[in-house]
Amino acid sequence: MTAACSQPVLDNRYRVETPEGIDLLLRPAGLVPRALAFTVDLALRGLILLALFFGFGLLGKLGIGLGALCLFLVQWWYMVLFEVFNQGRTPGKLWLGLEVIHDDGTPVGWAASLTRNLLRFVDMLPLGYFLGTLSCLAHPQFRRLGDIAAGTLVVYRDRPAKPRAALQAAPLQAPVALEQDERRAIIAFAERGDQLSGERRRELAALLAEPLGCSAGQASEQLEGIASGLLLGSTRQAAFEAAHEAQWQAFAKRLAQTGERRSAALQDFPSAYRRHCQQLALATSRGYSEGLLTRLRQLALAGHRQLYRHRSPLPGRLLGFVLAGFPALVRRQRRSVLLASGIFYGLLLISGWLVHLFPDLVFTVLPAEQVADMEAMYDPDATRLGRFGERGSADDWAMFGFYVMNNIGIAFQTFAGGLLLGLGSLFYLVYNGLVIGTVAGHLGNIGYQLPFWSFVIGHGAFELTAITLAGAAGLGLGQALIAPGRRSRSEALRQAAAISVRLVAGAMLMLLLAAFIEAYWSSMTYPAPALKFAVGAALWLLVLLYFCLAGRSRHAPD
């Protein structure tokens, strides 16, 4: 769609080359303003949770479930929701004048925002955002690891360009013939002089004056005089502005209307945008003043974002993803999925078999207190299986909230752990397979295998599959870093993340369904075990058929 050029320009600007052949300049935000924005958001999230938990504490077990769901949303989705629905700005970024965008200048979307925020888990390691800080300091555009994988930038949001005062210096003739870029640089220096510190102004003046043979002591004044002469000698700019001023104002008005999603404003918008790009290119090639170019670039950037933003309705995209896109993606990534499944299920079976042969081995994997808890949860005489053995509907809701917060959080961490060369994802796959197999082997040894498996089989079709999918997503990130092929590691990571984040999004949907089944069906004891096994087998078959058959139609939505 667009091509981003990573060539830095003066004052750490980032240049984006658009399909229309113009350059848009962005100002990447450094570590300090980003850290301040994150601190503001962190404090705000703490206040939100404090207020919610205080209110939910009055609702008993129902409040526990609501609190767990809110904790999950605030922890994992606060940043994503604000970035997607508020033009890349969380409250902290809004206060600091920052925004998140794709590195091609377009508004950040769901996949990129989710990627950069889930991978924040790794940026924070080992503590205090250590890895993220190192990445920001080392990268020319101050990107942390999550930004590199997501293809995003945190930039300053440009304020509307103000008319610049005319240069007051007496016009001077340039001592040598100047190229177009040289004339533009001198004019830009003169017009931006009041925005620069004295030290920075002298530094830039020395760089510009040296090839002109200007004296070092009066370089700044002489450059201003040369800029005045260049602008005075250019009579075309005034005529150019007079000829197109009405069009620029009309285009700015249309941009405001498209931001309000008025359908009438979208008519003929592409042609108006491309006409504006032609005018910007013409003004740039003629070396017009920096003030005019800044104004035209800001309008072009706003038009670029409107034209290339994703406008597909979210419900339709989500439905297409569930019905076809997700299973088709799993089939395309079958090697990673089979590898993650082999690791997880292989360790589950091996650990269960070893604990069956050597019963005391369970205490080398799990502490005695946790083993006792597991025995109480799956006691054949319990009225309900799982946590809160004696519980009512409010307890079921509390457990639903707990399962959502815990299980989806683990899946997100499993995915993010792939950024550690795949070792983090491998750890979670190994750990979960080892623990589940150990528990299964121990409960079988003491005769609790029937309640345990009747509890697990129902939601396990979705939950265990989701664990392996999250692991496969993380292993995909690790593979891109270890073996990028002919691509750079950053490009390989970005491509892998675009695929992996969709896998983990599908895993999240499966875990939501698993949490509901686990809270409201798996824990029941009044259905006969045979019925629960039959329902569980049907669910496993349904999952298998879904991933094997769904989305194979040529016209299936994606």
Side-chain angles (χ1 to χ4, degrees), residues 415-429:
F415 161 66
L419 207 54
L420 301 173
L421 302 179
L423 296 177
S425 301
L426 184 63
F427 167 78
Y428 281 106
L429 287 172

Side-chain angles (χ1 to χ4, degrees), residues 139-161:
H139 200 279
Q141 286 87 47
F142 312 109
R143 300 197 207 191
R144 59 178 177 83
L145 298 175
D147 288 316
I148 296 173
T152 54
L153 279 172
V154 178
V155 299
Y156 287 99
R157 189 173 182 87
D158 285 332
R159 298 177 180 177

Side-chain angles (χ1 to χ4, degrees), residues 354-374:
L354 289 175
V355 171
H356 176 70
L357 294 179
F358 309 99
D360 290 339
L361 195 61
V362 65
F363 297 105
T364 65
V365 178
L366 300 172
E369 296 80 5
Q370 189 172 350
V371 174
D373 289 341
M374 290 294 174

Side-chain angles (χ1 to χ4, degrees), residues 489-536:
R489 278 188 169 79
S490 60
E491 182 61 25
L493 176 63
R494 180 173 175 174
Q495 293 179 11
I499 296 172
S500 296
V501 74
R502 298 177 67 202
L503 272 180
V504 81
M508 181 192 68
L509 296 177
M510 296 187 71
L511 286 169
L512 284 173
L513 186 55
F516 181 82
I517 296 173
E518 186 172 1
Y520 289 97
W521 166 257
S522 298
S523 61
M524 295 180 179
T525 56
Y526 63 82
L531 176 61
K532 297 185 74 173
F533 281 114
V535 171

Side-chain angles (χ1 to χ4, degrees), residues 244-266:
H244 299 296
E245 179 63 33
Q247 293 181 358
W248 298 336
Q249 293 182 5
F251 186 63
K253 182 178 179 180
R254 176 172 287 190
L255 284 170
Q257 292 174 340
T258 54
E260 298 169 2
R261 302 182 185 277
R262 299 181 186 177
S263 58
L266 295 175

Side-chain angles (χ1 to χ4, degrees), residues 464-499:
L464 301 184
T465 303
I467 291 174
T468 60
L469 292 178
L475 293 177
L477 298 182
Q479 182 182 4
L481 292 172
I482 295 173
R486 296 184 177 181
R487 303 164 294 176
S488 66
R489 278 188 169 79
S490 60
E491 182 61 25
L493 176 63
R494 180 173 175 174
Q495 293 179 11
I499 296 172

